[in-house]
Amino acid sequence: MYINKCGNDGVFQKGVVTRYGALELSPSAGVLNYGQGVLEGIKAYRSAEDDRLLLFRPDQNALRMKMGAERICMPSPSVETFVDAVKETALANKRWVPPPGKGSLYIRPLLMGTGAVLGFAPAPDYTFLVYCSPVGNYFKGTFASLDLIIEDELHRATPGGAGGVKSITNYAPVLKGISKAKQRGYSEVLYLDSVHKKYIEEVSCCNIFVVKGNVISTPATSGTILEGITRKSIMEIASDRGYQIEERAIAVEELEDAGEVFCTGTAVGVAPVGTITYQGKRMEFKVGASTVGRELYTILEGIQTGKTKDDKGWIVEVQ
Ligand SMILES: *Cc1c(COP(=O)(O)O)cnc(C)c1O
């Protein structure tokens, strides 16, 4: 793992790669008491032909971490320090990157207030850490899909809150909804906006898209939805392919005449949604080989794994 601590000046100098292991923290560390922390998720792939190690848009994760850090009053590493840290971590763990087609190396950058702070305030110092783990493909079966349930009591985010940043505080509160959903046989929860309880927002860890003919819509972001890098990339790929992209408020009733729904995120890629249940009513959507979601994912995945030429400058090679 890579570790880099900054002092009172808030500046991250050079970090070090060291053996993966436990951290020593003060019981009054800001992150433990007040949740002062942001995380990121990036995948490294092994390319099929030439065994290169490829990262997908790590600069975007760096910028998002900066934004999140700013929201919860933390200093953050520069984009260059962040990307170098991710590269160093990937390289040091190259032997753990699964073979092409078998998965990827999931890289987890963390920025947290590790300084001791008893009275409620920003921590006096911070740790930027990067660790990783090999992961398999999210879906083992080719035609697997998600069954979502719309939650109308619990909310993930609220206007003015921190739903739009990858703050560690956004995740524990959704565990309850997910476990309730799983008990009832659903794969995940789809959240509604907390003001009108009418517009779809996103799933616990991925964004959502609705397809009707040539039009692909996704909820517009205004602080309550995490702006996924996969979301942004899929919008660009779809637009290149001639689809009409709309970012707007999507009322839950609109799902009734949607042809297709899919979710996007680093962990899931582009995941087809087979069904969505709302107030006891189950809506079904097209899944399988000839869907728009599959078409777009094939292109995205081709770029990520080096099978398709990257003419967008999205790929960063680790060497
Ligand atoms: C990380 C995350 C996403 C997906 O973002 P990507 O950059 O595409 O991985 C979507 N929603 C939430 C809540 C997330 O935490």
Side-chain angles (χ1 to χ4, degrees), residues 66 177 202 229:
K66 242 185 186 336
E202 64 172 320
I229 296 159

Side-chain angles (χ1 to χ4, degrees), residues 39-51:
L39 55 81
E40 273 302 331
I42 306 175
K43 278 178 174 175
Y45 296 88
R46 204 182 274 281
S47 70
E49 267 94 62
D50 42 12
D51 200 41

Side-chain angles (χ1 to χ4, degrees), residues 188-261:
E188 256 286 4
V189 177
L190 173 57
Y191 291 96
L192 296 181
D193 81 282
S194 64
V195 177
H196 309 95
K197 305 189 187 221
K198 177 174 167 35
Y199 301 101
I200 61 169
E201 293 220 308
E202 64 172 320
V203 179
S204 322
C205 298
C206 48
N207 297 116
I208 192 153
F209 286 80
V210 176
V211 185
K212 285 181 201 178
N214 191 47
V215 182
I216 304 180
S217 314
T218 191
T221 57
S222 58
T224 55
I225 293 173
L226 197 286
E227 293 189 41
I229 296 159
T230 321
R231 173 183 180 275
K232 182 155 91 171
S233 308
I234 282 293
M235 288 197 288
E236 190 171 328
I237 290 170
S239 169
D240 291 349
R241 305 277 299 173
Y243 289 100
Q244 185 186 327
I245 309 298
E246 294 181 348
E247 284 184 85
R248 59 179 178 84
I250 301 174
V252 69
E253 296 79 47
E254 281 191 54
L255 292 171
E256 283 170 26
D257 57 348
E260 203 185 309
V261 177

Side-chain angles (χ1 to χ4, degrees), residues 10-315:
V11 179
F12 288 91
Q13 306 289 353
K14 226 181 135 34
V16 290
V17 173
T18 142
R19 181 171 287 275
Y20 180 87
L23 303 175
E24 191 166 280
L25 285 183
S26 163
S28 60
V31 65
L32 295 179
N33 294 264
Y34 305 123
Q36 208 187 8
V38 288
L39 55 81
E40 273 302 331
I42 306 175
K43 278 178 174 175
Y45 296 88
R46 204 182 274 281
S47 70
E49 267 94 62
D50 42 12
D51 200 41
R52 291 181 305 145
L53 193 51
L54 309 176
L55 297 168
F56 184 69
R57 308 187 79 176
D59 56 308
Q60 296 294 310
N61 299 90
L63 290 169
R64 189 165 64 188
M65 175 171 273
K66 242 185 186 336
M67 242 178 52
E70 150 73 20
R71 175 67 181 80
I72 57 175
C73 294
M74 304 193 292
S76 52
S78 67
V79 171
E80 193 190 354
T81 300
F82 179 101
V83 173
D84 284 349
V86 170
K87 283 182 173 172
E88 281 180 49
T89 310
L91 198 57
N93 290 283
K94 188 168 182 183
R95 70 188 185 283
W96 297 112
V97 185
K102 299 289 183 198
S104 54
L105 186 71
Y106 184 81
I107 303 171
R108 166 58 56 80
L110 263 181
L111 175 65
M112 54 194 165
T114 39
V117 56
L118 185 55
F120 180 51
D125 46 81
Y126 294 84
T127 301
F128 171 49
L129 186 101
V130 186
Y131 68 94
C132 60
S133 169
V135 292
N137 297 323
Y138 190 85
F139 287 115
K140 306 286 180 277
T142 328
F143 291 108
S145 61
L146 299 173
D147 296 302
L148 303 181
I149 178 151
I150 294 182
E151 172 64 69
D152 43 16
E153 301 216 313
L154 302 172
H155 291 287
R156 186 194 157 267
T158 194
V165 299
K166 254 177 147 58
S167 163
I168 61 171
T169 55
N170 287 335
Y171 300 91
V174 299
L175 287 172
K176 186 123 198 151
I178 297 175
S179 88
K180 235 171 60 183
K182 294 213 157 145
Q183 269 169 21
R184 299 169 59 196
Y186 299 101
S187 12
E188 256 286 4
V189 177
L190 173 57
Y191 291 96
L192 296 181
D193 81 282
S194 64
V195 177
H196 309 95
K197 305 189 187 221
K198 177 174 167 35
Y199 301 101
I200 61 169
E201 293 220 308
E202 64 172 320
V203 179
S204 322
C205 298
C206 48
N207 297 116
I208 192 153
F209 286 80
V210 176
V211 185
K212 285 181 201 178
N214 191 47
V215 182
I216 304 180
S217 314
T218 191
T221 57
S222 58
T224 55
I225 293 173
L226 197 286
E227 293 189 41
I229 296 159
T230 321
R231 173 183 180 275
K232 182 155 91 171
S233 308
I234 282 293
M235 288 197 288
E236 190 171 328
I237 290 170
S239 169
D240 291 349
R241 305 277 299 173
Y243 289 100
Q244 185 186 327
I245 309 298
E246 294 181 348
E247 284 184 85
R248 59 179 178 84
I250 301 174
V252 69
E253 296 79 47
E254 281 191 54
L255 292 171
E256 283 170 26
D257 57 348
E260 203 185 309
V261 177
F262 59 81
C263 289
T264 63
T266 299
V268 296
V270 177
V273 174
T275 68
I276 300 181
T277 302
Y278 179 55
Q279 296 180 336
K281 189 169 167 217
R282 190 176 156 103
M283 298 169 270
E284 290 194 17
F285 309 101
K286 184 176 173 189
V287 295
S290 61
T291 53
V292 175
R294 181 66 70 89
E295 172 195 347
L296 300 176
Y297 189 41
T298 304
I299 299 166
L300 177 69
E301 200 244 1
I303 298 173
Q304 289 173 329
T305 57
K307 283 182 287 210
T308 310
K309 192 172 156 287
D310 164 35
D311 48 21
K312 296 190 177 287
W314 285 349
I315 294 300

